[in-house]
């Protein structure tokens, strides 16, 4: 009797709730939120990331996120990442609740939302589109806390259109209203008021922002304006916004859902608003990424859209597939696809001997030398180019960041100088994180699909 009791106690201690090979999506979600905390610019008064402190306190618009491994604040990817993250919270809030991460998510979202509010001056008709010069910034290797180069600002105003950035920033502010309105109505109302005036400005001054020195050059603005209009419609129920959104609709099969191209998002959101004919666009877009589509399938199943930052396109497509499945569009294949993409990123692969998680800090094998300035610096002492070129592991573990990933030749190297495969970025984690919330929601509803197990990491 005694030995039997002891045995069951040992068994309980020795096994987690997860079976062998199962992924801990809740842990991966928690870590992804931490990555965004590590990207904070401006004042930091907490110890969420022990090695991060206040920085760039004299920027024209203080706060927000550093974009990637560098310290520029680019308006388009910041808005686009915030939008995808909040969309994930809006649709899969139960996933955040189940993971015990709802408050952490609200806290994390205030960084971009406060920044967008501060960036938009409704009286002067002026929106901060970028802080920092990409050339000067990229020439510097070190901590953001130690930067001394000048950080010029680029603005959108009555004479300098940028309705792509303004449209997506308005979308994020309107969606911010929707996700915060129960938790903090005053805060939410302030976001909505900024969203309305910014959208009206963007509509009156159409055109794409082209002034970021070759970085994040966007093809058009209708897709971002569509998002702004849809979320303002959902926030206000004013049908003028819905009519606007339809006028910005672009049919066709987009290449990817990305920081630059939101057409797949616009197609899906308008499908949800009753345009059932747009379902074909949604399916056509997603089917490209499934086996048989035109996106290359790597061994173990990553849908590899591009050589640069493949994980991000897979994560974004997985997120959209889960949204489509929730609307009962091809739920079985789309859920299978989405879970397999996330499982691949979390270690179901043969990269570097197998079980390699592209999310830093998840599992036992993950990138140790990401292209990220701050993480490459020791807690104290100098940090410069020698830290970039050093072969040793980064002293700080950039918890939760997803690195670029393998290219179409299935090549990946954990090298700090390799920004195509091994950089991190705010946009890389955004769809990935939303997909994870969606998968946790599937687990809650007992809707997990059966997925391939041939590359399963059993550690
Ligand atoms: C760079 O940092 C190293 C220590 O990591 C230090 O020895 C070296 O002097 C620094 N170089 C410059 C140019 O500051």
């Amino acid at each position: 009797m005694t030995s039997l009791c002891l045995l069951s106690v040992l068994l309980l201690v020795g096994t987690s709730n997860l079976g062998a090979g199962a992924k801990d999506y809740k842990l991966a979600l928690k870590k992804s939120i931490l990555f965004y905390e590590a990207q904070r610019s401006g004042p930091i008064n907490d110890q969420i990331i022990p090695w991060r402190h206040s920085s760039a306190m004299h920027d024209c618009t203080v706060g927000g996120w550093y974009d990637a491994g560098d310290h520029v604040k680019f308006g388009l990817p910041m808005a686009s990442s915030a939008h995808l993250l909040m969309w994930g919270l809006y649709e899969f809030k139960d996933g955040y609740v189940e993971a015990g991460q709802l408050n952490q998510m609200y806290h994390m979202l205030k960084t971009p939302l406060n920044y967008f509010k501060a960036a938009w001056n409704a009286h002067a008709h002026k929106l901060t589109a970028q802080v920092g010069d990409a050339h000067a910034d990229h020439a510097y290797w070190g901590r953001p806390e130690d930067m001394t180069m000048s950080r010029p600002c680029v603005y959108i105003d009555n004479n300098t259109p940028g309705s792509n950035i303004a449209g997506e920033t308005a979308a994020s502010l309107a969606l911010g209203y929707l996700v915060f309105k129960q938790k903090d109505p005053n805060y939410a109302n302030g976001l909505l008021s900024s969203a309305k005036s910014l959208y009206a400005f963007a509509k009156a001054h159409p055109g794409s922002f082209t002034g970021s020195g070759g970085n994040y050059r966007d093809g058009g603005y209708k897709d971002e304006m569509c998002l702004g209009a849809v979320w303002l419609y959902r926030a206000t129920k004013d049908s003028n916004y819905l009519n606007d959104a339809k006028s910005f609709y672009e049919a066709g099969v987009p290449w990817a859902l990305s920081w630059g191209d939101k057409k797949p998002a616009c197609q899906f959101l308008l499908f949800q608003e009753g345009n059932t004919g747009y379902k074909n666009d949604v399916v056509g877009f997603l089917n490209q990424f499934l086996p048989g589509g035109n996106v290359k399938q790597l061994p173990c199943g990553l849908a590899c859209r591009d050589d640069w930052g493949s994980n991000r396109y897979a994560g974004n497509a997985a997120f959209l597939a889960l949204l489509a499945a929730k609307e009962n569009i091809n739920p079985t294949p789309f859920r299978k696809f989405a879970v397999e993409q996330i499982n691949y990123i979390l270690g179901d692969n043969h990269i570097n001997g197998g079980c390699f998680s592209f999310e830093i800090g998840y599992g036992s094998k993950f990138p140790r030398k990401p292209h990220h300035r701050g993480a490459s610096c020791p807690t104290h002492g100098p940090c410069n180019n020698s830290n970039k070129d050093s072969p040793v592991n980064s002293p700080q573990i950039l918890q939760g960041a997803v690195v670029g990933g393998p290219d179409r030749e299935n090549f990946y190297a954990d090298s700090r100088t390799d920004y195509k495969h091994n950089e991190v970025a705010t946009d890389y984690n955004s769809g990935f994180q939303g997909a994870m919330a969606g998968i946790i929601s599937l687990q809650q509803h007992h809707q997990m699909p059966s997925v391939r197990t041939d590359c399963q990491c059993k550690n």
Side-chain angles (χ1 to χ4, degrees):
M1 202 51 193
T2 310
S3 59
L4 201 65
C5 278
L6 189 63
L7 184 65
S8 45
V9 168
L10 285 174
L11 282 173
L12 279 173
V13 171
T15 55
S16 72
N17 296 328
L18 304 163
K23 297 283 172 282
D24 191 343
Y25 303 109
K26 295 174 191 173
L27 179 65
L29 176 70
K30 173 186 172 142
K31 286 179 183 274
S32 181
I33 293 173
L34 289 177
F35 164 59
Y36 288 97
E37 294 289 355
Q39 293 301 104
R40 273 165 74 187
S41 181
I44 295 181
N45 310 312
D46 53 52
Q47 283 288 305
I48 297 174
I49 308 296
W51 47 277
R52 284 301 328 282
H53 307 282
S54 300
S55 63
M57 294 296 288
H58 303 291
D59 282 358
C60 60
T61 304
V62 171
W65 287 322
Y66 297 125
D67 182 56
D70 61 350
H71 305 132
V72 183
K73 300 193 292 198
F74 291 109
L76 189 59
M78 202 193 301
S80 146
S81 304
H83 170 257
L84 271 196
L85 285 165
M86 284 189 282
W87 194 6
L89 177 58
Y90 180 82
E91 288 281 358
F92 299 122
K93 187 174 177 182
D94 57 340
Y96 282 94
V97 172
E98 179 61 21
Q101 292 300 309
L102 189 59
N103 284 332
Q104 288 81 348
M105 181 61 171
Y106 284 131
H107 180 274
M108 177 267 261
L109 289 173
K110 284 199 166 181
T111 292
L113 287 171
N114 291 345
Y115 178 81
F116 298 147
K117 271 198 75 178
W120 169 233
N121 183 332
H123 300 289
H125 275 195
K126 202 167 147 184
L127 174 72
T128 305
Q130 181 177 326
V131 184
D133 173 74
H135 293 291
D137 186 280
H138 294 175
Y140 166 81
W141 193 275
R143 304 175 189 88
E145 288 84 354
D146 299 337
M147 292 187 292
T148 55
M149 85 287 272
S150 76
R151 290 172 56 81
C153 280
V154 186
Y155 299 99
I156 291 163
D157 58 26
N158 288 342
N159 305 314
T160 319
S163 41
N164 51 345
I165 301 183
E168 184 121 32
T169 305
S172 286
L173 288 163
L175 181 47
Y177 163 81
L178 289 167
V179 300
F180 272 98
K181 73 176 179 185
Q182 263 156 17
K183 180 174 172 56
D184 188 344
N186 284 337
Y187 182 69
N189 286 333
L191 299 176
L192 183 57
S193 144
S194 291
K196 286 179 183 169
S197 58
L198 180 54
Y199 175 83
F201 162 78
K203 191 180 167 189
H205 301 278
S208 283
F209 178 80
T210 53
S212 57
N215 298 90
Y216 294 107
R217 203 167 273 265
D218 186 20
Y221 60 85
K222 289 186 177 171
D223 47 344
E224 286 88 5
M225 288 299 287
C226 174
L227 298 187
V230 169
W231 290 112
L232 274 162
Y233 169 67
R234 291 186 179 182
T236 64
K237 296 293 164 213
D238 177 343
S239 61
N240 288 316
Y241 288 123
L242 186 57
N243 292 335
D244 277 9
K246 289 178 191 166
S247 78
F248 291 123
Y249 185 82
E250 295 164 287
V253 184
W255 182 78
L257 174 60
S258 74
W259 56 265
D261 195 345
K262 327 301 154 62
K263 284 193 281 294
C266 174
Q267 293 172 341
F268 178 76
L269 289 166
L270 286 176
F271 162 79
Q272 282 186 314
E273 296 304 333
N275 298 81
T276 51
Y278 298 166
K279 179 178 163 182
N280 287 341
D281 291 331
V282 174
V283 172
F285 170 73
L286 286 170
N287 277 347
Q288 295 179 101
F289 286 78
L290 269 64
N294 66 17
V295 174
K296 179 151 190 187
Q297 307 284 314
L298 295 187
C300 297
L302 186 76
C304 183
R305 173 45 104 190
D306 196 35
D307 292 335
W308 193 337
S310 55
N311 285 333
R312 138 250 333 237
Y313 301 112
N316 290 356
F319 174 57
L320 195 60
L322 291 172
L323 293 177
K326 192 180 169 197
E327 296 292 342
N328 211 27
I329 301 176
N330 299 359
T332 303
F334 284 173
R335 283 180 184 142
K336 176 174 165 21
F337 163 76
V339 174
E340 287 179 352
Q341 297 309 302
I342 299 305
N343 285 354
Y344 179 100
I345 292 172
L346 293 179
D348 285 0
N349 57 56
H350 292 159
I351 301 285
N352 286 359
C355 278
F356 187 82
S357 167
F358 290 96
E359 187 190 39
I360 297 173
Y362 183 88
S364 55
K365 278 167 79 177
F366 51 80
R368 298 286 176 169
K369 290 172 251 181
H371 183 88
H372 187 274
R373 286 162 176 72
S376 80
C377 299
T379 304
H380 302 289
C383 188
N384 55 43
N385 273 322
S386 68
N387 299 73
K388 177 180 71 182
D389 300 326
S390 161
V392 307
N393 292 344
S394 292
Q396 319 297 348
I397 294 181
L398 186 60
Q399 295 283 350
V402 172
V403 300
D407 62 23
R408 283 169 292 185
E409 303 303 314
N410 203 31
F411 172 79
Y412 165 79
D414 181 12
S415 158
R416 196 175 292 112
T417 51
D418 185 346
Y419 50 81
K420 288 199 174 172
H421 305 88
N422 215 33
E423 189 162 1
V424 304
T426 51
D427 87 283
Y428 288 10
N429 267 73
S430 56
F432 165 80
Q433 185 178 314
M436 225 134 33
I439 294 172
I440 297 165
S441 173
L442 288 183
Q443 291 178 316
Q444 282 298 98
H445 296 104
H446 306 288
Q447 290 173 325
M448 280 295 273
S450 50
V451 295
R452 67 188 290 166
T453 54
D454 54 326
C455 296
Q456 196 176 42
C457 173
K458 300 249 167 49
N459 294 346

